[in-house]
Amino acid sequence: MGKLILSSDKIIFRRKDELTIIEPYGINCLRYRSTRNSTISGENWTLLPPVTKNDCHITGDEQQATITNGSISASIIAGGGWIPSVITYYRNGREILCSKEEGDPVTRFNHISGDNYQVKAIFKSNKGEHFYGLGQEQEDQFDRKGCSCNLVHYNTKSTLPVLYSSLGYGFLWNNPSPGYCETTGNHTLWCSENAYQIDYLIYTGKRPADVLKTYSDLTGYAPAFPGWAAGFWQSKLRYESQEDLLAIAREYHKRGIPLAAIVIDYFHWTEQGEWKFDPRYWPDPKAMCQELKALGIRPVVSVWPTINPNSENYSVMEEENMLVRTENGQYGIFNFYGQQTFIDPTNPETGPYVWSKIKENYYKYGIKTFWLDEAEPEVHPQQFNNLHFYAGNGAQTALLYPYYYTKLFYDGLKSEGEEEIISLTRAAYPGSQRFGALAWNGDIPSTFAALRQSLTSGLSMAMCGIPWWNSDIGGFHSGNIESDYFRELIIRWFQFGLFCPVMRIHGARSRMTGQVDRYPEVKEKSGGDNEIWSFGDQNYSIIKHIIELRERLKPYILKYMDIAAATGSPIMRPMFYDFYEDEYCYTLEDQYMFGEDILFAPILEQGITERHVYLPGGNWVNINDRQIYEGGKTVKVTAKIHEFIAFIKNGSEVLQVFDPVSN
């Protein structure tokens, strides 16, 4: 027979083989923890302490009780014998989530080793409910209802175990163990493969913005967004030398094209695990950075967390346990120009050591922005139980890696007095946003399908509290810049990039006909050209115009980045975010709001020049013909290759950004 123990601020539930605590965690939020062990763990992982005072009230007895905290409440039936225990959550008195027993309750805890179990939380499915979140992956599935999702990071997939429900609540699975989530027709199920306890938080709000603000209270807010970062970033795989990079920067300046940043990609270094320029190809970084500064361009440097015994830093880091180790076998967990392991940022000693190298070899030249590639980290094979981190075995803690990797650079830059911190990173975890993480969706192909899935990725990350996001404009691999297909794709992707939090071109373009190797001896050769004049004269003029629009749009972007820092609301947001009372907006996956005043509907298929757009309530101005449309209906709109589809709320000043500008 189960038994409830009531106190002023928590309910304790005891029964055979289980100890559970449910308690308030700030306003409008409840935290649930349950274990087969004798005590509940106080480990919070990346969760912050509550920032608001709870409003907790508890009533009931040993068999049935209710806990209320602001707009959220939960009723608990202890059960016993043939009667199952049940916990039901309510938002303002309306049921939103109810636990479900699938067999013996103890099967939610499958013993692994020591005090750790495979743990599950199972709930009944709500008909008509929509779910959004779970991070990003290459899937045509923005609404996660009806899906199964592995909770794991890899290149192109970044897991954030958090969901927003159309019933007005958020759910955070507070466990960094790999596992899976099922939001199917018969249940909603969360599973971690190796954990001490079940741990989740559920929180409610009147609007999606209220729910996301509570989530940001729990995991942190993005810092102040650097003003320069709202401009256009130039990148490719890769500039092989200092002179090649400067030649491109000079050409942008000569053409009068505003360029915020240029990226120095991987293998500019002497060896993996040696974070410094190879002097054969980058002989004078100080002079390079000074010239870029004079041109008004920020250098961004790619840093990998890989390291091997050839690195001058390897022996020290190995002896001090600053590297990811294996439970069985040797160091190699990623074969890329030889076996590599990864630095272990969960070890508090790793950060200061690595930062000392970054400071000496990059920061002292004026490089303050870093590209944190391989941030998952990318291991092969993905056998997390063979990885040993300072934070614990990989089967228990692997999802934490990108959080601590980004934190390493944030802490280093803060120690130098920097306030404007932004790091491009290939993976994220709840809380990464508070360290200036600019996530992107990895090495995706150069296809219209990948463009469409990038839209889904960006919106999903926004609903996971990651307001700084971007994709490689044009996709990363297999793009032939001489083909008609790619030249159409790059225009449509630039139009999408205009309405992304950060606008950055990148890619390993296919090598061109007659391409000559300037440095045939380099270890990692460059792909084809990837500057905006590389895709034909017609495309050049179109793209140049888009970049100029982006420059004029910067004040609007920065306004919403300030809002994100203060409230957690992203600039790139699903249609239902602002129009949450419009049921149809929950079904829209191929259009979105960019701030409150811009509705963008991208062209996502080859050869298409028209599409349908749903306009919610209000009056909307088509930027192309300035026709005013009444909302609450779907309209058919045309956009030739040099045009894109965007509507502005009637009366908004941002419409002026899209006015023709005379030369």
Side-chain angles (χ1 to χ4, degrees), residues 446 478-487 509-511:
S446 295
S478 307
N480 178 2
I481 69 172
E482 299 172 304
S483 71
D484 291 339
Y485 178 90
F486 183 82
R487 290 189 175 190
R509 307 300 178 223
S510 299
R511 293 173 69 83

Side-chain angles (χ1 to χ4, degrees), residues 334-615:
F334 182 42
N335 188 0
F336 198 74
Y337 293 103
Q339 284 290 335
Q340 315 292 326
T341 189
F342 289 80
I343 66 170
D344 182 1
T346 71
N347 184 339
E349 295 182 2
T350 303
Y353 180 85
V354 172
W355 178 253
S356 71
K357 306 300 179 181
I358 300 297
K359 179 180 178 180
E360 174 63 24
N361 298 318
Y362 298 128
Y363 180 80
K364 78 176 183 181
Y365 300 127
I367 297 168
K368 302 178 181 181
T369 307
F370 298 93
W371 179 354
L372 310 183
D373 212 336
E374 295 290 320
E376 299 84 17
E378 184 174 355
V379 298
H380 302 288
Q382 286 186 302
Q383 296 174 338
F384 300 107
N385 61 351
N386 192 40
L387 302 182
H388 189 91
F389 299 92
Y390 178 92
N393 179 269
Q396 303 160 14
T397 64
L399 297 184
L400 292 172
Y401 195 93
Y403 170 90
Y404 280 100
Y405 188 30
T406 309
K407 182 178 185 295
L408 186 161
F409 281 80
Y410 181 84
D411 289 346
L413 288 161
K414 288 290 283 187
S415 72
E416 304 301 329
E418 298 297 334
E419 294 297 330
E420 292 190 337
I421 299 172
I422 182 170
S423 297
L424 184 63
T425 177
R426 206 171 73 181
Y429 189 72
S432 291
Q433 69 275 7
R434 67 179 184 258
F435 303 129
L438 166 61
W440 99 98
N441 54 342
D443 296 346
I444 56 178
S446 295
T447 64
F448 275 93
L451 170 58
R452 183 178 65 250
Q453 292 162 353
S454 292
L455 190 155
T456 298
S457 291
L459 293 177
S460 294
M461 291 293 271
M463 293 310 297
C464 293
I466 304 292
W468 300 1
W469 181 89
N470 69 136
S471 65
D472 293 350
I473 291 178
F476 176 72
H477 66 82
S478 307
N480 178 2
I481 69 172
E482 299 172 304
S483 71
D484 291 339
Y485 178 90
F486 183 82
R487 290 189 175 190
E488 180 181 352
L489 175 68
I490 195 73
I491 292 295
R492 295 307 190 191
W493 214 312
F494 255 103
Q495 292 166 354
F496 172 59
L498 173 60
F499 297 106
C500 282
V502 164
M503 184 184 191
R504 178 185 58 89
I505 188 173
H506 183 61
R509 307 300 178 223
S510 299
R511 293 173 69 83
M512 300 171 294
T513 303
Q515 182 169 332
V516 176
D517 289 330
R518 285 169 49 80
Y519 307 97
E521 73 282 2
V522 296
K523 182 178 289 187
E524 182 70 13
K525 296 184 184 301
S526 176
D529 292 345
N530 198 44
E531 293 70 44
I532 70 169
W533 50 83
S534 307
F535 316 121
D537 292 341
Q538 180 182 1
N539 274 15
Y540 170 70
S541 62
I542 296 171
I543 295 170
K544 181 175 182 290
H545 174 65
I546 293 172
I547 293 173
E548 290 166 347
L549 279 177
R550 178 73 180 197
E551 199 70 13
R552 299 205 298 271
L553 197 57
K554 281 171 66 173
Y556 179 86
I557 294 169
L558 294 175
K559 169 188 171 182
Y560 280 96
M561 289 304 194
D562 288 344
I563 290 172
T567 71
S569 285
I571 184 172
M572 183 179 180
R573 52 183 68 171
M575 294 301 302
F576 64 78
Y577 196 83
D578 294 302
F579 303 98
Y580 52 90
E581 294 181 336
D582 187 336
E583 291 292 330
Y584 191 63
C585 284
Y586 290 90
T587 69
L588 298 171
E589 301 193 352
D590 64 351
Q591 63 179 75
Y592 61 93
M593 297 298 297
F594 195 63
E596 295 180 1
D597 295 335
I598 302 176
L599 188 163
F600 177 57
I603 299 292
L604 302 170
E605 297 179 58
Q606 182 186 12
I608 298 299
T609 57
E610 61 182 20
R611 58 160 291 172
H612 289 92
V613 182
Y614 177 73
L615 302 176

Side-chain angles (χ1 to χ4, degrees), residues 109-123:
F109 301 93
N110 180 30
H111 187 248
I112 300 299
S113 63
D115 292 335
N116 277 32
Y117 298 79
Q118 180 202 63
V119 300
K120 296 177 182 177
I122 311 172
F123 306 95

Side-chain angles (χ1 to χ4, degrees), residues 66-80:
T66 298
I67 179 171
T68 301
N69 182 30
S71 63
I72 191 170
S73 60
S75 66
I76 306 172
I77 299 173

Side-chain angles (χ1 to χ4, degrees), residues 101-311:
E101 297 285 9
E102 295 184 352
D104 192 317
V106 78
T107 60
R108 295 186 302 135
F109 301 93
N110 180 30
H111 187 248
I112 300 299
S113 63
D115 292 335
N116 277 32
Y117 298 79
Q118 180 202 63
V119 300
K120 296 177 182 177
I122 311 172
F123 306 95
K124 295 177 182 178
S125 177
N126 292 317
K127 186 176 181 179
E129 185 174 15
H130 304 279
F131 287 119
Y132 309 93
L134 292 178
Q136 64 182 10
E137 56 189 322
Q138 292 302 103
E139 295 284 354
D140 290 309
Q141 198 73 38
F142 178 46
D143 186 347
R144 298 286 191 166
K145 183 68 173 180
C147 294
S148 177
C149 178
N150 289 323
L151 304 179
V152 64
H153 304 307
Y154 54 77
N155 189 353
T156 75
K157 179 176 172 66
S158 181
T159 284
L160 286 90
V162 57
L163 282 172
Y164 173 78
S165 164
S166 60
L167 297 182
Y169 69 90
F171 188 100
L172 171 61
W173 182 247
N174 190 38
N175 204 308
S177 163
Y180 59 92
C181 173
E182 297 176 351
T183 52
T184 52
N186 61 311
H187 64 205
T188 295
L189 184 151
W190 295 82
C191 175
S192 287
E193 295 293 354
N194 194 323
Y196 181 88
Q197 63 192 14
I198 299 169
D199 186 354
Y200 64 80
L201 297 96
I202 180 169
Y203 40 97
T204 54
K206 180 180 179 181
R207 308 169 300 157
D210 300 327
V211 174
L212 203 54
K213 186 177 189 306
T214 297
Y215 172 79
S216 300
D217 286 344
L218 296 172
T219 61
Y221 294 81
F225 187 75
W228 65 265
F232 170 57
W233 299 32
Q234 171 64 46
S235 182
K236 66 172 287 187
L237 187 92
R238 68 183 182 88
Y239 297 113
E240 294 177 355
S241 72
Q242 175 178 326
E243 187 53 39
D244 288 354
L245 182 96
L246 286 174
I248 298 303
R250 293 164 187 154
E251 185 64 22
Y252 271 101
H253 184 73
K254 176 183 175 182
R255 292 173 182 250
I257 301 168
L259 186 61
I262 192 165
V263 179
I264 302 167
D265 203 352
Y266 72 159
F267 282 91
H268 64 269
W269 46 64
T270 48
E271 177 58 81
Q272 291 182 75
E274 291 179 356
W275 301 286
K276 61 184 180 182
F277 289 107
D278 187 333
R280 291 174 294 176
Y281 309 106
W282 307 84
D284 195 346
K286 181 179 180 180
M288 176 185 68
C289 292
Q290 287 175 339
E291 181 172 347
L292 290 174
K293 183 177 181 180
L295 296 173
I297 302 170
R298 299 277 181 139
V300 179
V301 169
S302 173
V303 175
W304 278 28
T306 51
I307 187 171
N308 64 59
N310 294 324
S311 167

